[in-house]
Amino acid sequence: MKSCYDFLVIGSGIAGLTYALKASEHGSVCVVTKGTEDESNTKYAQGGVAAVWDFSEDSYHQHIADTLDAGDGLCRRKVVELVVQEGPERVRELIAWGARFDKNAAGEYDLGREGGHSVPRVLHHKDQTGYELERVLLKQASRRPNIRLLTHHFAIDLLTQHHLGVNVTRRTRDITCFGAYVLNTRTMRIHTVRARLTLVATGGAGQVYRNTTNPLIATGDGIAMVYRAKGRVENMEFYQFHPTALFDPGRNPAFLISEAVRGFGAVLRTRDGKEFMHRYDRRGSLAPRDIVARAIDNEMKKRGDEYVYLDCRHLNLRQFIKHFPTIYKECLAAGFHVARDLIPVVPAAHYLCGGIKTDVYGQTSIRNLYACGECASTGLHGANRLASNSLLEALVFSHRAYLHAADRVRTVPVPQGLPDWNAEGTLNPEERVLITFTRQEVQNIMSNYVGIVRSNLRLQRALQRLELIYRETEALYQRTVVSVELCELRNLINVAYLIIRSSLLRKESRGLNYNLDYPYKKKVARSTVL
Ligand code: FAD
Ligand code: SIN
């Protein structure tokens, strides 16, 4: 395998692929991805991409205001403005590459509505927007000879001067990235992939919780890698729970019922059939996600119920099937006909609003290292993301990171002298099943103590439990041959630690971080940086 590139991209979701397509005009690109080429959070995106499209009904001002309102005082205004204003151009680029967004009978783009949006502004492809976007981006990538896409290649750690024998700490200035150690999961060989510039686009970390809409690969690898390399992460306490995943205990990932279904007119009811959202917010079932998920959690706890209902029975069935064919089929397969039955739903971990801290060009605190997409914290989402702003953010920031990277790639020297992976003294694991058990333990700790409603006692308890697991797992890692399962477990433990630490540092309830010990918001909103 060739081991030196101009651009190394870790991840083949919307962020990694968009950047790779553009960067390939300026040099050689290697995209590594740990599973199949399309496995990603992107592939499962349902609702769509939020962008100001119809200027007669919508405006940048309104999209900015909705994003700031959802973010509960913690968004970086400058970032919100640039994402909203540059977004439509990035969406037009996708259309030019071949993305098919649904149109109405008049031939105009059919804009969906979701929670927290004051007007319909979500471009979508039925309820399979992400699948369509991955299709288009991968097709484009296959046409670029400069892009090498390596599936089943797992990035283990970033290469920095630590690997040249320098003692790197969080205080070290000018920590520099030289590429990554990458495990070919078919041959089990570890490659030293050097690059002038590296992009981390590894997506979310939903698997840190027991019930999540994220696929099994969403284990926060990029965030853990950057933290281990002593880079900065921020706002990790803001884990967004989507209000409506199909209630189906044990199913991993949980099946999402898009917020666009509520935008289409579906309403939430308790098990006795009563509407309840108007008691929590004037926007009812279409309030921002933090509010709706907390209201559901509260109703379930108060009543001792395991789920609430989503009522679609009054909606036009033909139109429903046209807009939401996958949701219709999945509900039917689970035994629920949307026109006759109430659909049992529960909140599920869905989106990490914090992550690797970046500037407006996707630059991290580590030189020659960029991050974008869900693993990054750009300042757009603040304490709670507005629906369908994630795909938009990935598009805008992968473009900005590309602009910055293309400008400097020729000025960055080719990294030299990096040692190969040292596996000396490691053995095959005695009992692989222990790794599976520990992953479940982490998910249970996070779900039981670090969920939608938190308290200092619960957070402390979670931290103590996690510390023991951390020590056991590090000891195992030192003496064991590297495997994806073990690396993912380490990364999940790392991410869980960052979520708990950040949540403990935040002495207030804001957005997605609701703590019973601080039922109020502080006057000044600040980020938690670790
Ligand atoms: P991903 O798409 O998750 O891609 C990450 C990539 O990194 C994958 O290819 C993965 O294999 C790879 N990777 C990870 N770790 C490693 C490693 N160690 N080594 C090598 N490769 C690695 N957002 C919206 O805006 N609108 C929606 O309608 C919407 N619906 C959603 C529905 C669902 C069910 C889910 C789960 C999310 C939804 N989201 C939506 C959120 C949105 O899809 C994601 O935030 C976004 O797609 C993330 O894109 P990404 O490129 O950052 O990461
Ligand atoms: C959904 O379709 O409800 C998910 C949208 C999002 O996560 O932004």
Side-chain angles (χ1 to χ4, degrees), residues 11 30 98 119 155 258 324 374 411 469 501:
C30 177
V119 295
S258 174
F324 309 113
E374 189 167 339
T411 67
I469 288 177
R501 272 285 311 280

Side-chain angles (χ1 to χ4, degrees), residues 109-236:
Y109 284 109
D110 174 43
L111 303 174
R113 180 152 191 192
E114 292 181 41
H117 288 276
S118 51
V119 295
R121 62 164 74 94
V122 182
L123 291 113
H124 55 91
H125 178 89
K126 301 189 170 46
D127 54 3
Q128 302 152 350
T129 308
Y131 190 86
E132 171 67 2
L133 298 186
E134 277 290 307
R135 180 191 71 77
V136 167
L137 294 169
L138 285 166
K139 190 166 175 194
Q140 288 293 333
S142 70
R143 292 180 180 158
R144 317 276 158 123
N146 254 358
I147 298 183
R148 180 143 191 232
L149 175 58
L150 299 173
T151 61
H152 304 284
H153 278 69
F154 182 96
I156 302 173
D157 261 322
L158 297 168
L159 294 160
T160 66
Q161 51 274 63
H162 165 77
H163 299 95
L164 297 171
V166 177
N167 181 27
V168 176
T169 70
R170 279 185 206 290
R171 294 231 175 85
T172 306
R173 295 231 174 137
D174 290 344
I175 304 173
T176 306
C177 179
F178 306 121
Y181 284 126
V182 176
L183 170 71
N184 177 336
T185 60
R186 294 243 161 91
T187 62
M188 295 312 284
R189 273 196 61 193
I190 297 172
H191 300 274
T192 310
V193 182
R194 293 174 294 140
R196 293 178 202 262
L197 299 174
T198 301
L199 172 78
V200 177
T202 46
Q207 288 292 324
V208 78
Y209 287 98
R210 197 169 47 213
N211 191 31
T212 177
T213 62
N214 291 192
L216 298 176
I217 51 117
T219 50
D221 300 347
I223 296 164
M225 278 191 274
V226 168
Y227 191 68
R228 276 197 297 271
K230 314 288 187 237
R232 292 257 177 265
V233 299
E234 68 171 0
N235 290 342
M236 290 292 289

